[in-house]
Amino acid sequence: DAGITQSPRHKVTETGTPVTLRCHQTENHRYMYWYRQDPGHGLRLIHYSYGVKDTDKGEVSDGYSVSRSKTEDFLLTLESATSSQTSVYFCAIPLGAGGFHEQFFGPGTRLTVL
Amino acid sequence: QKEVEQNSGPLSVPEGAIASLNCTYSDRGSQSFFWYRQYSGKSPELIMSIYSNGDKEDGRFTAQLNKASQYVSLLIRDSQPSDSATYLCAVRGGGYQKVTFGIGTKLQVIP
């Protein structure tokens, strides 16, 4: 497996509480991505980072914020969790060889908002 | 409008048969195309990448790309029950541009 870990792996929380998910990489890559995966929607990009303190929005960024203070860590925060944010969250980094930047995924975090 | 279209399935094939998975995309500027396999409860795993028109073979897998028709396919020869999974098609423009994923096709290989 690529050197990507996510924590926690499972979390149950209540509506209105803040939640932070962590992605940690050991590949020293500039780019990191957060996706969510839902039935019928596939994988959708939430936010991505192209360096320390450099981040940008994806297609489903409302209700989420991110931070990257170190190359190896990319944090995803749900400011005030809602039931619609119940999902599986994946972090990814582009590790493909030869300049093609294929994305490799972490193990995922299953989040349930009650 | 969905940018990457896949039939969600399930696609059922008997063991030993060829499974054919299809994907269409809307952005003519797309340059890189990927197939991922995802087992239930696991993360997506890259199985094939293709960048130019034609076929690319890797073991029992063949990826086919037709940019004029904006069509990508994955053939799995001699399908095995262990191939039962959801297959995600993904498309990207150049460099580190964002990758867009289809919803995935669920494949069931019947012993």
Side-chain angles (χ1 to χ4, degrees):
Chain A
D1 288 345
I4 312 171
T5 57
Q6 293 183 233
S7 59
R9 296 292 313 280
H10 301 271
K11 186 169 182 67
V12 179
T13 191
E14 294 189 350
T15 298
T17 60
V19 176
T20 295
L21 309 183
R22 179 182 184 238
C23 177
H24 179 80
Q25 60 144 330
T26 58
E27 306 294 333
N28 199 36
H29 206 289
R30 280 181 59 206
Y31 280 75
M32 298 182 75
Y33 304 83
W34 275 110
Y35 292 88
R36 60 179 288 175
Q37 187 174 37
D38 305 287
H41 291 279
L43 281 158
R44 292 179 292 174
L45 182 66
I46 306 172
H47 282 278
Y48 67 99
S49 170
Y50 47 97
V52 172
K53 299 194 189 311
D54 292 322
T55 64
D56 205 350
K57 297 178 179 180
E59 62 181 299
V60 289
S61 58
D62 287 348
Y64 301 95
S65 63
V66 290
S67 64
R68 187 143 178 230
S69 59
K70 299 184 291 185
T71 298
E72 58 266 35
D73 288 327
F74 191 29
L75 304 181
L76 177 71
T77 297
L78 288 65
E79 320 258 342
S80 177
T82 67
S83 58
S84 65
Q85 293 176 311
T86 292
S87 187
V88 180
Y89 292 85
F90 290 103
C91 177
I93 56 177
L95 285 180
F100 296 116
H101 317 303
E102 293 93 332
Q103 296 202 352
F104 288 79
F105 288 85
T109 295
R110 183 172 296 276
L111 176 67
T112 302
V113 183
L114 301 176
Chain B
Q1 181 183 358
K2 282 279 191 181
E3 297 179 22
V4 179
E5 297 272 5
Q6 291 183 263
N7 188 319
S8 62
L11 172 67
S12 295
V13 299
E15 183 175 355
I18 296 175
S20 178
L21 304 162
N22 305 313
C23 170
T24 58
Y25 61 94
S26 59
D27 183 0
R28 285 196 170 274
S30 300
Q31 297 185 19
S32 307
F33 307 86
F34 312 101
W35 283 100
Y36 287 82
R37 177 177 62 201
Q38 186 174 25
Y39 293 112
S40 180
K42 301 295 186 181
S43 58
E45 170 195 12
L46 181 70
I47 54 172
M48 291 288 286
S49 306
I50 188 166
Y51 315 105
S52 53
N53 280 328
D55 295 359
K56 179 181 177 183
E57 187 174 317
D58 184 0
R60 295 186 296 111
F61 299 99
T62 298
Q64 299 175 316
L65 174 61
N66 183 326
K67 289 187 177 180
S69 300
Q70 295 175 249
Y71 179 90
V72 191
S73 65
L74 179 71
L75 301 178
I76 307 175
R77 290 181 299 281
D78 188 24
S79 295
Q80 300 297 308
S82 59
D83 295 325
S84 297
T86 296
Y87 289 80
L88 308 176
C89 175
V91 175
R92 190 188 63 220
Y96 287 110
Q97 292 182 35
K98 73 182 183 76
V99 177
T100 302
F101 289 83
I103 63 172
T105 299
K106 185 173 184 178
L107 173 67
Q108 296 175 339
V109 180
I110 311 301

